[in-house]
Amino acid sequence: MDLSRFAINQITTKNWTLAQAVDGYARAGVPGIGVWTEYADAHGASAAKLIRDAGLFVPCLCTSAWVNLTDKAAFASALDENRRRLDLAADLGAKTLVVVPGSLATGEKDLRAARARVSDALEELLPHARDAGVALGLEPLHPMYAADRSCLSTFAQCLDLCERLGDGSGIVADVYHCWWDPEFEAGLLKAGPDKILTFHLCDWLVPTRDVYQDRGMVGDGVIDIARYRGILDEIGYDGPFEIEIFSKLDWWTRDGDETVRVAVDRCAPFVAPRPTPALA
Ligand code: ZN
């Protein structure tokens, strides 16, 4: 079992502090941790050292601050906060800041305006991202979230935006958000390996009791993860795989060590290095 590409996004063990998550993952032989800003901030300035000393890699920092603000001063300060998060990502050794930008401003109904605002914000952040060596990782979120969390809703939409932004941007692909999308597979093939920054794993439960906080453990739902893994091999993706579970009703109520143990067991078949083609 080669787990070298595997990381656990720390929201999966929501009740653990950063130090507990680093310790728990390292003890389980998990080499990577997806970090959330709130936990890194709570830990303080030594967060990067803590992670480095444990020998863990950091596929991404979650998430950008929302920029769904029509007030100019508030928008400017949200951009400053995002610059701070890009610097934090660089400090942690994360090559990607996951972009979850918000959507409609309070009282607003103009989704096109929200999308234009997000595009403008990303363009403004791009020079800082490039200087920091941290990519803006556009994560298409399920359209259920289009009113509030993110107006970046489909893989194709994010790929178009990445193509306009150019260097310093890419895609965070998450099966929870993309599996329903008839264009998802074509999007992966079109994106190629370099635009996919990290790949998030979980499952879609039937029924889903809470769209925000009832994601399934890999293997417990209806997503054909093996199929996506096959496509990623086909395009030559060698990047990280990261389990990310929001689960108020189940996994967050369990002991963190149990969640980690099950996550490793369930993800192991999908996270191995890409098989090298046999020499002719
Ligand atoms: Zn995700």
Side-chain angles (χ1 to χ4, degrees), residues 9 11 36 60 62-63 98 100 139-141 172-177 198-202 215 242-246:
N9 186 292
I11 206 66
W36 281 68
C60 67
C62 295
T63 66
V98 178
V100 176
E139 182 175 31
L141 290 207
V172 173
D174 185 325
V175 293
Y176 188 79
H177 298 300
T198 180
F199 198 85
H200 287 179
L201 300 174
C202 65
R215 296 193 197 187
E242 188 181 337
I243 190 167
E244 182 191 45
I245 294 183
F246 295 70

Side-chain angles (χ1 to χ4, degrees), residues 205-228:
L205 299 176
V206 180
T208 289
R209 298 160 291 178
D210 173 336
V211 288
Y212 290 108
Q213 298 181 330
D214 189 27
R215 296 193 197 187
M217 176 59 68
V218 167
D220 286 348
V222 296
I223 300 177
D224 189 353
I225 292 170
R227 180 170 179 85
Y228 299 123

Side-chain angles (χ1 to χ4, degrees), residues 38-240:
E38 293 77 359
Y39 291 85
D41 286 348
H43 187 85
S46 62
K49 183 177 182 326
L50 172 82
I51 294 167
R52 223 175 21 248
D53 288 351
L56 300 185
F57 78 91
V58 184
C60 67
L61 177 69
C62 295
T63 66
S64 63
W66 286 12
V67 293
N68 56 337
L69 304 153
T70 45
D71 176 79
K72 282 209 161 38
F75 184 74
S77 80
L79 290 187
D80 282 343
E81 171 59 17
N82 280 310
R83 291 186 187 99
R84 182 186 80 83
R85 293 186 188 200
L86 285 164
D87 293 341
L88 175 61
D91 185 43
L92 297 171
K95 291 195 167 61
T96 299
L97 176 68
V98 178
V99 172
V100 176
S103 185
L104 299 170
T106 307
E108 185 181 35
K109 293 192 178 182
D110 190 342
L111 189 54
R112 280 180 307 176
R115 287 182 167 142
R117 202 162 54 234
V118 165
S119 174
D120 290 348
L122 295 174
E123 265 183 48
E124 283 202 49
L125 289 172
L126 202 53
H128 197 95
R130 288 174 180 161
D131 286 349
V134 174
L136 298 168
L138 314 190
E139 182 175 31
L141 290 207
H142 194 285
M144 282 278 215
Y145 301 137
D148 48 12
R149 290 198 179 181
S150 181
C151 56
L152 303 177
S153 307
T154 69
F155 194 95
Q157 177 200 1
C158 288
L159 193 54
D160 277 354
L161 191 46
C162 277
E163 279 168 1
R164 267 188 282 139
L165 291 167
D167 281 351
S169 69
I171 307 251
V172 173
D174 185 325
V175 293
Y176 188 79
H177 298 300
C178 296
W179 75 279
W180 61 273
D181 181 353
E183 307 301 324
F184 181 38
E185 293 183 21
L188 290 171
L189 292 167
K190 185 176 173 203
D194 299 333
K195 282 273 175 237
I196 313 286
L197 302 172
T198 180
F199 198 85
H200 287 179
L201 300 174
C202 65
D203 219 329
W204 185 278
L205 299 176
V206 180
T208 289
R209 298 160 291 178
D210 173 336
V211 288
Y212 290 108
Q213 298 181 330
D214 189 27
R215 296 193 197 187
M217 176 59 68
V218 167
D220 286 348
V222 296
I223 300 177
D224 189 353
I225 292 170
R227 180 170 179 85
Y228 299 123
R229 173 63 209 250
I231 293 169
L232 291 169
D233 284 348
E234 189 182 327
I235 66 170
Y237 173 75
D238 287 316

